C-alpha cells in the first residue's frame, strides 16, 4: 500500500508560480512511476504530467508544456510539480498518482486526496 499526500496548493494570480509536492509513504516509492492529474468541477480528470521511476523521462499534457515541470526525489519519497506562468484555466484540484505500470500510460494504483489550485485573473 502506498499513501500519497499532496501539499502546496493555494491561490495565485495569473502569471504566477506554485510548486506542488507529493509525499509518499513506504519503502517502494522508486518502484512506481508517478503522475500529476487535475480535475475541474464538472469536468473529467485529466493527466497533467507523468514521470518514470528514475525521473529521467517525463511527459506532459500539451496545455502545460513549457510551463510545468514534474520531478521526483526518490531519496525523499517525493514528487513535485513546478507550475509557472499560471493561467485561470489551470484552476483545478491537483492529484498525485502512482502506477506500477508504464510511466506514460499505466493504470493508476494509488491516488492522493488532492490539493486545490486557484488562479485568479
Amino acid at each position: 500500500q502506498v499513501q500519497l499526500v499532496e501539499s502546496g496548493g493555494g491561490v495565485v494570480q495569473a502569471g504566477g508560480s506554485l510548486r506542488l509536492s507529493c509525499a509518499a509513504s513506504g519503502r517502494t516509492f522508486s518502484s512506481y512511476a508517478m503522475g500529476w492529474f487535475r480535475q475541474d468541477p464538472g469536468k473529467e480528470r485529466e493527466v497533467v504530467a507523468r514521470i518514470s521511476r528514475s525521473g529521467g523521462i517525463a511527459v506532459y499534457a500539451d496545455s502545460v508544456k513549457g510551463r510545468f515541470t514534474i520531478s521526483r526525489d526518490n531519496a525523499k519519497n517525493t514528487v513535485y510539480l513546478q507550475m509557472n506562468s499560471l493561467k485561470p484555466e489551470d484552476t483545478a484540484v491537483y492529484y498525485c498518482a502512482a502506477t506500477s505500470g508504464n510511466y506514460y500510460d499505466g493504470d493508476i494504483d494509488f491516488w492522493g486526496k488532492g490539493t486545490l489550485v486557484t488562479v485568479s485573473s
Side-chain angles (χ1 to χ4, degrees):
Q1 189 80 1
V2 175
Q3 292 187 330
L4 304 173
V5 179
E6 302 96 335
S7 62
V11 180
V12 62
Q13 287 190 333
S17 298
L18 280 176
R19 188 194 196 200
L20 305 183
S21 298
C22 172
S25 65
R27 300 181 179 178
T28 59
F29 177 71
S30 61
S31 67
Y32 290 91
M34 301 296 295
W36 286 96
F37 292 71
R38 67 185 181 187
Q39 187 169 21
D40 206 11
K43 296 183 180 179
E44 291 188 359
R45 191 172 297 189
E46 62 178 4
V47 61
V48 175
R50 302 181 72 147
I51 191 167
S52 64
R53 289 163 177 75
S54 68
I57 305 173
V59 292
Y60 297 91
D62 288 343
S63 59
V64 306
K65 278 181 183 176
R67 300 188 299 122
F68 291 12
T69 302
I70 187 172
S71 61
R72 66 189 293 166
D73 186 337
N74 287 342
K76 295 182 178 180
N77 284 11
T78 303
V79 61
Y80 305 97
L81 185 68
Q82 178 66 44
M83 305 186 294
N84 299 329
S85 302
L86 282 160
K87 304 175 182 180
E89 51 264 44
D90 294 318
T91 295
V93 177
Y94 283 71
Y95 296 90
C96 178
T99 177
S100 56
N102 293 324
Y103 75 93
Y104 51 89
D105 68 353
D107 292 338
I108 300 302
D109 297 297
F110 303 103
W111 292 96
K113 293 185 178 180
T115 185
L116 177 62
V117 172
T118 303
V119 184
S120 61
S121 56

